[in-house]
């Protein structure tokens, strides 16, 4: 134990002799870990948020597909679906998108028929009549209104329609409601000039959760131009969207991993003349090869462990304290309305362990193996270069 | 105090802080009751993350061709399209080829 402490002491002195080089190495290494860690933390936290909140999403959504695209669905389909055994209810929904040329943003307009009770995440209340609306925080920030003000939108006939704002969703719900404008279903139908016989999609409630998949197949069989989407599939979409094969992981993490490989490769392809000379001197004054390897092992451990811990700490602060400002533009793209969100810290230990294994172990190997090759060579030959 | 001891104390403190943060994050119970109530009331199916294209605003509701919506073989032109790829579900059809009798493959 005391011997290892002495070797660590010697290693630290050796590292301090080349402090600028080693400090820059730790900075680059920690930055790479922080980048990889930030992506892991952000995607995992978003996945937890989505799969946790969307567990109460509609059990089964039925869309109509025409010419390979989503199309309005005839409300007559509700009768066909209602007759299937196991179906509790079928509700036509009206929702759609609205591009506002003033703020150059896309809004999502949702029609609700009736909802009894208060929503905890809504300041104010949901619309009671066709002249009222509730809006998301992003819409409120973009247009600047408060509860009681009017929201003016142009309907499909280019006429100005005024809605009184009765509620604004709280910031905690930004990830779900940021760009929403909630209207009464009849008002939205008028706004979109949508025929009474059509709806955007149908929501099917089933008695037995285990029958959802079977019902989806039956709906597809009876109405071949439909596309049933189950709640499990919605949750699975978010699971795959933010897993390690997701676009974000590929875009950022692969680039960071490649830069780490370059760092490790540079270390593995050879040690500097100064380091070779140091090993030669140590061997000449009587150090065993195992002692030299112990020094190099400690050197690799000090650099990789310090960088790893600093990088993970930086990633945590970046994602959960500052809201991942370096990664958010990737998700934002050209969106004008983008939610300001505070993610609930959620970390998968398995991912952190894998990240540690993939970065610390190769770096240690890249430090020890070239030194072992030098340490087994004759000291005189090494010192002469 | 030697350099070795100072380093060991430094790395122990760092490890303690980081592990503490990670453990709190991995075991912390997230209360999503209010969000679930909201999702149920409005029938929300997707996160309101990117609103630039409908298939990145509602990835779970997007159709198969949404990324190439303008014309056949159109290039994807929204930046988030490379981050939030459409993941179509609920499509069952596939191309079937029927060989007529008398013709050889």
């Amino acid at each position: 134990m005391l011997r290892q402490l002495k070797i660590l002491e010697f290693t630290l002195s050796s590292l301090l002799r080349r402090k600028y080089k080693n400090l820059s190495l730790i900075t680059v290494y920690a930055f790479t870990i922080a980048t990889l860690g930030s992506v892991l933390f952000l995607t995992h936290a978003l996945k937890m948020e989505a799969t946790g909140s969307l567990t109460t999403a509609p059990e089964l959504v039925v869309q109509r597909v025409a010419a390979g695209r989503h199309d309005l669905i005839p409300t007559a389909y509700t009768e066909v679906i209602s007759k299937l055994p196991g179906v509790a209810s079928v509700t036509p929904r009206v929702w759609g998108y609205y591009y506002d040329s003033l703020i150059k943003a896309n809004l999502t307009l949702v029609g609700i028929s009736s909802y009894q009770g208060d929503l905890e995440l809504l300041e104010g209340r949901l619309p009671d009549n066709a002249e009222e609306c509730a809006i998301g925080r992003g819409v409120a920030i973009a247009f600047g209104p408060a509860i009681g003000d009017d929201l003016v939108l142009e309907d499909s006939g280019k006429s100005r329609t005024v809605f009184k704002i009765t509620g604004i969703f709280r910031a905690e719900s930004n990830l779900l409601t940021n760009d929403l404008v909630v209207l009464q279903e009849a008002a939205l139908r008028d706004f979109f000039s949508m025929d009474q016989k059509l709806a955007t999609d149908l929501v099917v409630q089933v008695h037995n959760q285990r029958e959802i998949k079977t019902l989806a197949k039956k709906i597809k069989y009876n109405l071949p131009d439909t596309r049933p989407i189950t709640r499990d599939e919605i949750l699975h979409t978010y699971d795959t969207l933010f897993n390690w094969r997701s676009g974000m992981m590929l875009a950022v993490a692969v680039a960071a991993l490649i830069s780490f490989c370059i760092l490790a490769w540079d270390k593995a392809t050879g040690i500097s003349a100064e380091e070779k000379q140091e090993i030669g001197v140590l061997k000449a004054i009587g150090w065993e090869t195992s002692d030299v390897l112990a020094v190099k092992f400690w050197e690799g451990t000090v650099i990789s462990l310090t960088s790893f811990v600093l990088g993970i700490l930086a990633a945590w602060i970046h994602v959960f304290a500052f809201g991942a400002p370096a990664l958010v533009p990737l998700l934002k793209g050209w969106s004008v309305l983008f939610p300001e969100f505070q993610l609930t810290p959620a970390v998968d230990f398995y991912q952190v362990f894998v990240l540690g294994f993939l970065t610390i172990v190769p770096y240690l190997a890249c430090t020890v193996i070239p030194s072992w090759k030098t340490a087994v060579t004759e000291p005189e030959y090494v010192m002469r270069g | 105090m030697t350099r070795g001891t100072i380093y060991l104390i430094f790395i122990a403190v760092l490890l303690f802080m980081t592990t503490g943060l990670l453990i709190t994050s991995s075991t912390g119970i997230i209360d999503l009751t209010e969000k679930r109530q909201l999702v149920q009331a409005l029938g929300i199916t997707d996160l309101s993350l990117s609103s630039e294209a409908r298939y990145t605003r509602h990835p779970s509701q997007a159709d198969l061709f949404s990324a190439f919506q303008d014309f056949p073989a159109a290039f994807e032109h929204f930046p988030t399209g490379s981050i939030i790829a459409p993941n179509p579900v609920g499509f069952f059809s596939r191309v079937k080829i029927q060989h007529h009798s008398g013709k050889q493959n």
Side-chain angles (χ1 to χ4, degrees):
Chain A
M1 178 69 190
L2 195 67
R3 183 168 171 272
Q4 289 302 323
L5 200 65
K6 293 279 181 203
I7 290 176
L8 175 63
E9 183 72 28
F10 177 84
T11 308
L12 289 169
S13 307
S14 164
L15 287 172
L16 279 172
R17 272 201 300 279
R18 298 180 294 271
K19 55 177 168 290
Y20 294 114
K21 186 195 163 204
N22 288 318
L23 273 176
S24 53
L25 187 63
I26 287 175
T27 311
V28 173
Y29 196 159
F31 181 74
T32 313
I33 300 284
T35 311
L36 287 162
S38 295
V39 177
L40 285 180
F41 291 164
L42 179 68
T43 49
H44 186 70
L46 281 172
K47 188 162 81 176
M48 296 308 283
E49 190 82 26
T51 52
S53 313
L54 297 174
T55 48
T56 48
E59 288 163 348
L60 193 55
V61 176
V62 181
Q63 291 180 348
R64 180 168 179 256
V65 176
R69 293 176 178 222
H70 177 210
D71 200 17
L72 296 180
I73 190 163
T75 45
Y77 283 16
T78 52
E79 288 164 31
V80 180
I81 298 170
S82 303
K83 282 177 190 160
L84 294 173
V87 173
S89 69
V90 187
T91 320
R93 291 198 309 176
V94 178
W95 64 273
Y97 303 110
Y98 174 83
Y99 175 73
D100 189 273
S101 52
L102 182 71
I103 57 166
K104 294 185 170 53
N106 289 310
L107 311 180
T108 304
L109 273 53
V110 177
I112 52 160
S113 42
S114 63
Y115 182 77
Q116 306 296 325
D118 292 326
L119 287 174
E120 296 289 334
L121 290 172
L122 178 70
E123 240 172 77
R125 59 174 176 80
L126 286 170
D128 264 348
N129 57 57
E131 281 85 44
E132 292 179 343
C133 72
I135 57 172
R137 182 70 45 187
V139 183
I141 291 168
F143 284 99
I147 295 174
D149 289 349
D150 288 340
L151 179 73
V152 184
L153 303 175
E154 270 186 356
D155 67 12
S156 52
K158 292 288 168 198
S159 336
R160 285 155 56 89
T161 317
V162 181
F163 298 103
K164 188 180 170 147
I165 299 164
T166 56
I168 297 176
F169 291 100
R170 291 184 205 280
E172 294 93 308
S173 71
N174 271 358
L175 264 177
L176 295 164
T177 59
N178 192 55
D179 65 340
L180 285 194
V181 176
V182 181
L183 302 167
Q184 280 271 304
E185 193 189 299
L188 189 57
R189 202 177 271 282
D190 279 349
F191 186 83
F192 284 146
S193 301
M194 194 185 284
D195 197 304
Q196 288 289 340
K197 290 176 184 166
L198 296 171
T200 310
D201 53 29
L202 306 174
V203 166
V204 182
Q205 278 191 309
V206 293
H207 290 298
N208 186 351
Q209 299 291 312
R210 285 182 293 182
E211 285 181 355
I212 294 177
K213 266 194 170 176
T214 317
L215 267 170
K217 280 182 188 167
K218 282 183 181 172
I219 292 168
K220 183 77 187 166
Y221 179 77
N222 284 293
L223 301 163
D225 61 341
T226 57
R227 175 196 175 201
I229 302 162
T230 65
R231 183 195 285 160
D232 280 350
E233 285 167 338
I234 292 173
L235 296 175
H236 182 67
T237 299
Y238 280 91
D239 198 46
T240 49
L241 196 63
F242 297 123
N243 74 359
W244 65 272
R245 284 175 300 175
S246 67
M248 185 178 245
M249 286 294 280
L250 285 176
V252 182
V254 170
L257 261 182
I258 289 171
S259 61
F260 174 76
C261 290
I262 294 168
L263 185 85
W265 179 252
D266 180 54
K267 191 85 183 163
T269 45
I271 52 177
S272 67
E274 195 187 347
E275 281 175 287
K276 274 185 183 172
Q277 204 169 21
E278 187 182 330
I279 293 171
V281 171
L282 290 176
K283 289 286 302 247
I285 59 171
W287 282 47
E288 295 287 330
T289 305
S290 62
D291 297 331
V292 175
L293 290 185
V295 168
K296 288 294 161 188
F297 171 79
W298 275 110
E299 192 183 302
T301 307
V302 165
I303 287 180
S304 57
L305 191 64
T306 311
S307 310
F308 182 77
V309 179
L310 284 174
I312 288 290
L313 202 60
W316 197 95
I317 293 168
H318 171 233
V319 174
F320 299 122
F322 295 110
L327 295 176
V328 156
L330 284 175
L331 283 170
K332 189 177 176 184
W334 293 338
S335 312
V336 174
L337 297 183
F338 190 77
E340 279 177 22
F341 52 82
Q342 190 65 45
L343 288 168
T344 315
V347 172
D348 185 359
F349 254 100
Y350 171 73
Q351 288 182 336
V352 178
F353 178 77
V354 170
L355 180 61
F357 187 79
L358 285 178
T359 50
I360 295 176
V361 176
Y363 187 82
L364 267 180
C366 291
T367 312
V368 173
I369 293 168
S371 307
W372 167 72
K373 280 171 71 183
T374 312
V376 292
T377 319
E378 276 297 310
E380 189 192 347
Y381 180 75
V382 172
M383 280 189 284
R384 282 177 193 275
Chain B
M1 202 182 281
T2 59
R3 280 196 194 110
T5 321
I6 293 169
Y7 174 75
L8 286 177
I9 292 170
F10 166 75
I11 201 73
V13 170
L14 263 185
L15 272 173
F16 181 75
M17 278 167 60
T18 313
T19 317
L21 277 178
L22 296 183
I23 287 174
T24 325
S25 312
S26 64
T27 56
I29 298 158
I30 310 166
D31 185 18
L32 296 165
T33 319
E34 293 172 342
K35 287 182 183 168
R36 284 178 185 151
Q37 183 201 26
L38 187 71
V39 168
Q40 193 168 24
L42 303 179
I44 292 170
T45 52
D46 290 87
L47 292 188
S48 171
L49 264 179
S50 172
S51 56
E52 64 175 352
R54 62 191 161 85
Y55 51 92
T56 57
R57 173 63 182 86
H58 288 101
S60 76
Q61 308 292 302
D63 57 55
L64 202 60
F65 273 90
S66 51
F68 311 101
Q69 56 190 313
D70 295 330
F71 58 91
F75 285 116
E76 162 57 21
H77 56 255
F78 287 108
T80 49
S82 55
I83 300 292
I84 305 173
N87 182 38
V89 288
F91 289 98
F92 298 96
S93 56
R94 61 179 178 191
V95 175
K96 286 178 191 151
I97 296 170
Q98 288 181 333
H99 295 288
H100 293 289
S101 56
K103 276 191 175 179
Q104 294 294 319
N105 283 342

